Structures are given as structure tokens and as C-alpha cells.
Amino acid sequence: MSIDYLDGNALAGPLGELFAVDVTAAIGTCAGCGAAGPVAALQVYGPEPGLVARCPSCEEVVLRLVRTPDAAWLDLRGAVSLRIPMPETRS
């Protein structure tokens, strides 16, 4: 049985509501297998009751995002790290 999923770019809108930078370009490291890659490469399932993003290498859950009317719940326990590129600042 095949389950359809979206790529990590499906997280751009929901994560864009929380962060001032494009998190889909961030490099995440999976806690399950150690694979590193852009958030845009994650396999995203949802949207109801929330978004679940899995590692494309080992299929472990890396990220969960649930939105309620008054809050957003972001669970990153499946990521060892998230390296977010920041724009250069001028002094």
C-alpha cells in the first residue's frame, strides 16, 4: 500500500507564520539515522490534524506542526539540529 505525501515545501506556509526566514531552506539532521538535508526534502503528511514530516532516508518523524485557533505547536524532537541560513547583516 502506498501512502501519498508532499515534499517539505508544504511546510513553507505554516512555518512562515512562525519564523521570519524560509525554514524550508534550513538543513536538518535526523535524530534517527543522522541523515542531513533541507527541510524541503522531508516527506510531509497531513494536513489534519497537523503536519508530520518524516526523514526521506529512514522514515522517522523529524517534525510535527499542529495549529489551533490561538497557538501553534512545533515538535522538533526528531531533529538533532536545524541550521537556518540567515541573511547577511550590514553594520
Side-chain angles (χ1 to χ4, degrees):
M1 171 177 26
S2 173
I3 298 176
D4 292 331
Y5 64 86
L6 303 171
D7 69 24
N9 287 304
L11 297 168
L15 288 176
E17 294 181 54
L18 303 176
F19 298 99
V21 296
D22 179 11
V23 180
T24 61
I27 303 299
T29 302
C30 175
C33 70
V39 170
L42 296 173
Q43 298 172 342
V44 180
Y45 300 86
E48 302 299 334
L51 297 172
V52 174
R54 293 184 174 273
C55 173
S57 296
C58 71
E59 299 185 353
E60 287 292 320
V61 174
V62 175
L63 177 152
R64 294 174 186 90
L65 177 61
V66 177
R67 181 72 195 261
T68 65
D70 64 344
W73 298 81
L74 179 60
D75 176 354
L76 292 168
R77 78 181 93 184
V80 172
S81 64
L82 192 61
R83 184 176 148 275
I84 303 170
M86 300 297 291
E88 290 186 31
T89 59
R90 295 182 181 197
S91 350

